């Protein structure tokens, strides 16, 4: 098994077409097919099923794909690390963040990083925490700003908590059940139609857990949105939603919950078995410095407290 064979295998698996994969990796289609056949021979199992021009992974191919991606990601990391050590000063950082964090915490942190290291390539991926954890484990991300799940993080990752954030109720108007203090109880949402985030979002799990802990199942008005869509549905009057306290949208009212409320823990995560590059370590350092500075200057949004 050779690295170039794994690269060819991943290319075919991603585009499901031998000719297109050959174009992507810069070789001829017969050469690529020959290398894939050699890899299958070495492994003792076919990796692709070819039926009427359609390419699909076999069971062996499904097993190999995440492992091949991880191996190639580790090789890329090693290459960048050596390049930095010999003074090339080139590098890449791939940061994942949930949509709310991508529009609130990430921008000032990335601005600091860009000012200090203008030659480093920055790439940002938005997604739900479950999606980001998957991408970290696959080697598609170097760092990710995720929400710590109640059941704990995957053992293949290291996650360092940095902030605790309170969730608020997003609605069009002040809800009738609001207390004199202007706050709500979770039980006040019992009879309210609710807008739910799609599968893979920690906010969906947090909403369901909070409602069930209060003794009721939420009445779902719309199911399956992402952050912008959820806030748009709330603005249209379709229902209410539990959202991060840092969320903002004209035309939407955000009401805090009475203690104990609902909180979530924001963490910076990376793969445990991969040594981070210099650039990745520097981005993490700048992130923690920003949190400390924002805390000292009173710049953290209401309902957000530091943990780092």
């Amino acid at each position: 098994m050779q690295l170039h064979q794994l690269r060819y295998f991943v290319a075919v698996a991603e585009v499901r077409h031998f000719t297109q994969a050959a174009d992507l990796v810069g070789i001829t289609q017969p050469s690529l097919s020959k290398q894939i056949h050699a890899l299958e021979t070495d492994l003792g199992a076919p990796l692709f099923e070819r039926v009427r021009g359609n390419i699909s992974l076999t069971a062996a191919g499904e097993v190999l794909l995440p492992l091949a991606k991880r191996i190639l990601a580790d090789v890329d990391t090693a290459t960048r690390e050596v390049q930095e050590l010999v003074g090339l000063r080139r590098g890449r950082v791939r940061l994942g963040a949930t949509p709310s964090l991508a529009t609130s915490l990430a921008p000032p942190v990335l601005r600091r990083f860009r000012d200090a290291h203008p030659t480093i390539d920055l790439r940002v991926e938005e997604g739900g925490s479950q999606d980001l954890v998957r991408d970290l484990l696959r080697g598609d991300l170097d760092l990710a700003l995720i929400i710590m799940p109640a059941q704990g993080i995957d053992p293949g990752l290291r996650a360092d908590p940095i902030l605790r954030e309170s969730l608020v109720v997003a609605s069009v108007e002040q809800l009738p059940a609001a207390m004199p203090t202007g706050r709500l109880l979770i039980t006040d949402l019992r009879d309210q139609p609710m807008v739910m985030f799609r599968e893979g979002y920690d906010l969906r799990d947090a909403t369901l857990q909070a409602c069930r802990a209060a003794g009721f199942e939420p009445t779902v008005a719309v199911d399956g949105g992402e952050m912008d869509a959820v806030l748009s549905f709330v603005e249209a009057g379709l229902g209410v939603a539990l959202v991060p306290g840092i969320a903002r949208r004209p035309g939407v009212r955000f009401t805090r919950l009475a203690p104990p409320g609902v909180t979530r823990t924001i963490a910076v995560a990376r793969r445990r078995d991969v040594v981070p590059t210099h650039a990745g370590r520097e981005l993490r350092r700048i992130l923690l410095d920003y949190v400390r500075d924002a805390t000292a200057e009173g710049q953290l949004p209401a309902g957000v407290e530091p943990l780092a």
Side-chain angles (χ1 to χ4, degrees), residues 19 27 33 58 74 90 100 112 126 141 146 148 157 173 176 180 183 192 214 224-225 230 246 298:
T19 301
I27 64 172
S33 295
T58 63
D74 288 345
R90 291 188 308 221
S100 61
R112 285 192 179 193
E126 284 189 55
L141 294 174
I146 66 168
M148 290 289 287
L157 299 179
E173 299 177 352
R183 298 196 179 194
Q192 293 289 334
V230 165
I246 56 179

Side-chain angles (χ1 to χ4, degrees), residues 169 189-196 207 211 216-223 234 238-242:
V169 180
L189 306 181
R190 184 188 301 271
D191 299 320
Q192 293 289 334
M194 299 192 69
V195 179
M196 299 294 292
T207 299
C211 293
F216 69 96
E217 284 289 324
T219 301
V220 179
V222 183
D223 194 354
V234 170
L238 294 173
V240 304
L242 277 181

Side-chain angles (χ1 to χ4, degrees), residues 57-222:
L57 288 169
T58 63
E62 293 282 0
V63 170
L64 178 61
L65 183 58
L67 297 174
K69 285 186 173 182
R70 184 174 301 176
I71 290 169
L72 293 174
D74 288 345
V75 170
D76 289 343
T77 297
T79 301
R80 292 196 307 274
E81 190 77 359
V82 171
Q83 287 177 340
E84 290 178 359
L85 286 174
V86 299
L88 294 180
R89 308 316 307 162
R90 291 188 308 221
R92 176 187 68 185
V93 180
R94 300 164 300 174
L95 175 68
T98 63
S100 61
L101 296 175
T103 57
S104 58
L105 180 58
V109 171
L110 294 181
R111 175 59 184 270
R112 285 192 179 193
F113 184 87
R114 170 61 64 204
D115 289 345
H117 306 283
T119 62
I120 300 298
D121 181 22
L122 283 172
R123 302 185 185 181
V124 178
E125 180 74 26
E126 284 189 55
S129 290
Q130 295 176 27
D131 300 325
L132 298 177
V133 164
R134 178 202 62 206
D135 291 343
L136 280 170
L137 292 170
R138 287 179 176 177
D140 295 334
L141 294 174
D142 300 306
L143 294 171
L145 292 168
I146 66 168
I147 307 304
M148 290 289 287
Q151 68 272 22
I153 197 69
D154 188 286
L157 299 179
R158 171 180 171 177
D160 300 312
I162 57 174
L163 294 168
R164 181 179 292 113
E165 178 185 36
S166 297
L167 300 186
V168 298
V169 180
S171 63
V172 177
E173 299 177 352
Q174 177 70 47
L175 299 181
M179 304 169 67
T181 58
R183 298 196 179 194
L184 291 164
L185 298 170
I186 285 293
T187 51
D188 294 331
L189 306 181
R190 184 188 301 271
D191 299 320
Q192 293 289 334
M194 299 192 69
V195 179
M196 299 294 292
F197 287 86
R198 70 167 174 83
E199 294 282 352
Y201 266 55
D202 65 280
L203 290 166
R204 178 188 184 90
D205 294 337
T207 299
L208 291 173
Q209 290 169 8
C211 293
R212 289 167 181 168
F216 69 96
E217 284 289 324
T219 301
V220 179
V222 183

